[in-house]
mmCIF file of all heavy atoms in Angstrom:
data_model
loop_
_atom_site.group_PDB
_atom_site.id
_atom_site.type_symbol
_atom_site.label_atom_id
_atom_site.label_comp_id
_atom_site.label_asym_id
_atom_site.label_seq_id
_atom_site.Cartn_x
_atom_site.Cartn_y
_atom_site.Cartn_z
ATOM 1 N N ILE B 1617 -10.998 -6.170 -27.991
ATOM 2 C CA ILE B 1617 -11.301 -6.414 -29.459
ATOM 3 C C ILE B 1617 -10.448 -7.513 -29.970
ATOM 4 O O ILE B 1617 -10.898 -8.401 -30.658
ATOM 5 C CB ILE B 1617 -11.125 -5.119 -30.240
ATOM 6 C CG1 ILE B 1617 -12.112 -4.051 -29.809
ATOM 7 C CG2 ILE B 1617 -11.242 -5.408 -31.720
ATOM 8 C CD1 ILE B 1617 -11.910 -2.653 -30.391
ATOM 9 N N ASN B 1618 -9.096 -7.412 -29.620
ATOM 10 C CA ASN B 1618 -8.182 -8.338 -30.192
ATOM 11 C C ASN B 1618 -7.607 -9.371 -29.245
ATOM 12 O O ASN B 1618 -6.576 -9.921 -29.479
ATOM 13 C CB ASN B 1618 -7.046 -7.567 -30.939
ATOM 14 C CG ASN B 1618 -7.579 -6.762 -32.035
ATOM 15 O OD1 ASN B 1618 -8.415 -7.218 -32.814
ATOM 16 N ND2 ASN B 1618 -7.098 -5.547 -32.215
ATOM 17 N N ASP B 1619 -8.360 -9.610 -28.170
ATOM 18 C CA ASP B 1619 -7.920 -10.602 -27.168
ATOM 19 C C ASP B 1619 -6.485 -10.494 -26.850
ATOM 20 O O ASP B 1619 -5.689 -11.464 -26.934
ATOM 21 C CB ASP B 1619 -8.218 -12.062 -27.733
ATOM 22 C CG ASP B 1619 -9.500 -12.563 -27.255
ATOM 23 O OD1 ASP B 1619 -10.044 -12.031 -26.271
ATOM 24 O OD2 ASP B 1619 -10.175 -13.463 -27.986
ATOM 25 N N ASN B 1620 -6.062 -9.311 -26.445
ATOM 26 C CA ASN B 1620 -4.759 -8.943 -25.997
ATOM 27 C C ASN B 1620 -3.686 -9.419 -26.983
ATOM 28 O O ASN B 1620 -2.714 -10.120 -26.694
ATOM 29 C CB ASN B 1620 -4.448 -9.596 -24.649
ATOM 30 C CG ASN B 1620 -3.192 -9.022 -23.976
ATOM 31 O OD1 ASN B 1620 -2.835 -7.898 -24.311
ATOM 32 N ND2 ASN B 1620 -2.641 -9.694 -23.005
ATOM 33 N N GLY B 1621 -3.892 -9.116 -28.288
ATOM 34 C CA GLY B 1621 -2.935 -9.340 -29.298
ATOM 35 C C GLY B 1621 -3.025 -10.597 -30.040
ATOM 36 O O GLY B 1621 -2.413 -10.880 -31.067
ATOM 37 N N ALA B 1622 -4.005 -11.500 -29.642
ATOM 38 C CA ALA B 1622 -4.124 -12.746 -30.366
ATOM 39 C C ALA B 1622 -4.837 -12.484 -31.716
ATOM 40 O O ALA B 1622 -4.648 -13.313 -32.681
ATOM 41 C CB ALA B 1622 -5.053 -13.649 -29.517
ATOM 42 N N LEU B 1623 -5.581 -11.489 -31.850
ATOM 43 C CA LEU B 1623 -6.314 -11.126 -33.086
ATOM 44 C C LEU B 1623 -5.889 -9.772 -33.544
ATOM 45 O O LEU B 1623 -4.997 -9.146 -32.964
ATOM 46 C CB LEU B 1623 -7.804 -11.091 -32.898
ATOM 47 C CG LEU B 1623 -8.458 -12.276 -32.161
ATOM 48 C CD1 LEU B 1623 -9.954 -12.021 -31.802
ATOM 49 C CD2 LEU B 1623 -8.342 -13.536 -33.018
ATOM 50 N N SER B 1624 -6.405 -9.349 -34.711
ATOM 51 C CA SER B 1624 -6.106 -8.016 -35.165
ATOM 52 C C SER B 1624 -7.330 -7.436 -35.866
ATOM 53 O O SER B 1624 -8.137 -8.191 -36.423
ATOM 54 C CB SER B 1624 -4.854 -7.969 -36.068
ATOM 55 O OG SER B 1624 -5.048 -8.728 -37.240
ATOM 56 N N SER B 1625 -7.407 -6.137 -35.748
ATOM 57 C CA SER B 1625 -8.512 -5.394 -36.375
ATOM 58 C C SER B 1625 -8.218 -5.000 -37.836
ATOM 59 O O SER B 1625 -7.086 -4.547 -38.058
ATOM 60 C CB SER B 1625 -8.804 -4.075 -35.602
ATOM 61 O OG SER B 1625 -9.228 -4.363 -34.320
ATOM 62 N N ASP B 1626 -9.108 -5.229 -38.635
ATOM 63 C CA ASP B 1626 -8.984 -4.771 -40.068
ATOM 64 C C ASP B 1626 -9.110 -3.341 -40.170
ATOM 65 O O ASP B 1626 -10.136 -2.755 -39.638
ATOM 66 C CB ASP B 1626 -9.986 -5.519 -40.948
ATOM 67 C CG ASP B 1626 -10.034 -4.940 -42.288
ATOM 68 O OD1 ASP B 1626 -9.189 -5.338 -43.128
ATOM 69 O OD2 ASP B 1626 -10.898 -4.083 -42.619
ATOM 70 N N ILE B 1627 -8.207 -2.662 -40.840
ATOM 71 C CA ILE B 1627 -8.314 -1.184 -41.018
ATOM 72 C C ILE B 1627 -8.579 -0.941 -42.506
ATOM 73 O O ILE B 1627 -7.601 -0.929 -43.339
ATOM 74 C CB ILE B 1627 -7.034 -0.455 -40.504
ATOM 75 C CG1 ILE B 1627 -6.676 -0.953 -39.086
ATOM 76 C CG2 ILE B 1627 -7.177 1.070 -40.631
ATOM 77 C CD1 ILE B 1627 -7.641 -0.560 -38.004
ATOM 78 N N ALA B 1628 -9.792 -0.617 -42.772
ATOM 79 C CA ALA B 1628 -10.210 -0.249 -44.200
ATOM 80 C C ALA B 1628 -9.738 -1.289 -45.250
ATOM 81 O O ALA B 1628 -9.463 -0.964 -46.395
ATOM 82 C CB ALA B 1628 -9.609 1.124 -44.521
ATOM 83 N N GLY B 1629 -9.616 -2.533 -44.804
ATOM 84 C CA GLY B 1629 -9.201 -3.592 -45.691
ATOM 85 C C GLY B 1629 -7.802 -3.530 -46.262
ATOM 86 O O GLY B 1629 -7.419 -4.240 -47.118
ATOM 87 N N LYS B 1630 -7.037 -2.652 -45.618
ATOM 88 C CA LYS B 1630 -5.650 -2.450 -46.133
ATOM 89 C C LYS B 1630 -4.525 -2.707 -45.084
ATOM 90 O O LYS B 1630 -3.441 -2.926 -45.423
ATOM 91 C CB LYS B 1630 -5.503 -0.999 -46.654
ATOM 92 C CG LYS B 1630 -6.381 -0.806 -47.876
ATOM 93 C CD LYS B 1630 -6.298 0.618 -48.358
ATOM 94 C CE LYS B 1630 -7.192 0.892 -49.570
ATOM 95 N NZ LYS B 1630 -7.464 2.284 -49.804
ATOM 96 N N GLU B 1631 -4.886 -2.543 -43.810
ATOM 97 C CA GLU B 1631 -3.893 -2.698 -42.775
ATOM 98 C C GLU B 1631 -4.575 -3.458 -41.591
ATOM 99 O O GLU B 1631 -5.806 -3.631 -41.654
ATOM 100 C CB GLU B 1631 -3.417 -1.380 -42.270
ATOM 101 C CG GLU B 1631 -2.759 -0.558 -43.375
ATOM 102 C CD GLU B 1631 -2.213 0.833 -42.765
ATOM 103 O OE1 GLU B 1631 -1.281 0.752 -41.873
ATOM 104 O OE2 GLU B 1631 -2.733 1.881 -43.144
ATOM 105 N N GLU B 1632 -3.740 -3.889 -40.707
ATOM 106 C CA GLU B 1632 -4.244 -4.576 -39.497
ATOM 107 C C GLU B 1632 -3.650 -3.954 -38.272
ATOM 108 O O GLU B 1632 -2.544 -3.418 -38.326
ATOM 109 C CB GLU B 1632 -3.960 -6.034 -39.546
ATOM 110 C CG GLU B 1632 -4.662 -6.782 -40.679
ATOM 111 C CD GLU B 1632 -4.582 -8.248 -40.491
ATOM 112 O OE1 GLU B 1632 -3.628 -8.729 -39.875
ATOM 113 O OE2 GLU B 1632 -5.527 -8.957 -41.063
ATOM 114 N N ARG B 1633 -4.352 -4.013 -37.114
ATOM 115 C CA ARG B 1633 -3.865 -3.532 -35.940
ATOM 116 C C ARG B 1633 -4.308 -4.446 -34.750
ATOM 117 O O ARG B 1633 -5.512 -4.642 -34.635
ATOM 118 C CB ARG B 1633 -4.437 -2.048 -35.605
ATOM 119 C CG ARG B 1633 -3.836 -0.948 -36.410
ATOM 120 C CD ARG B 1633 -2.412 -0.688 -36.053
ATOM 121 N NE ARG B 1633 -1.905 0.492 -36.818
ATOM 122 C CZ ARG B 1633 -1.421 0.458 -38.092
ATOM 123 N NH1 ARG B 1633 -1.414 -0.675 -38.754
ATOM 124 N NH2 ARG B 1633 -0.995 1.573 -38.671
ATOM 125 N N SER B 1634 -3.334 -4.838 -33.893
ATOM 126 C CA SER B 1634 -3.686 -5.479 -32.635
ATOM 127 C C SER B 1634 -3.702 -4.389 -31.543
ATOM 128 O O SER B 1634 -4.606 -4.410 -30.726
ATOM 129 C CB SER B 1634 -2.650 -6.548 -32.325
ATOM 130 O OG SER B 1634 -2.868 -7.713 -33.151
#
Side-chain angles (χ1 to χ4, degrees):
Chain B
I1617 294 170
N1618 294 322
D1619 266 339
N1620 198 20
L1623 308 173
S1624 60
S1625 296
D1626 170 81
I1627 309 297
K1630 296 179 179 160
E1631 300 182 62
E1632 296 193 334
R1633 286 291 184 277
S1634 286

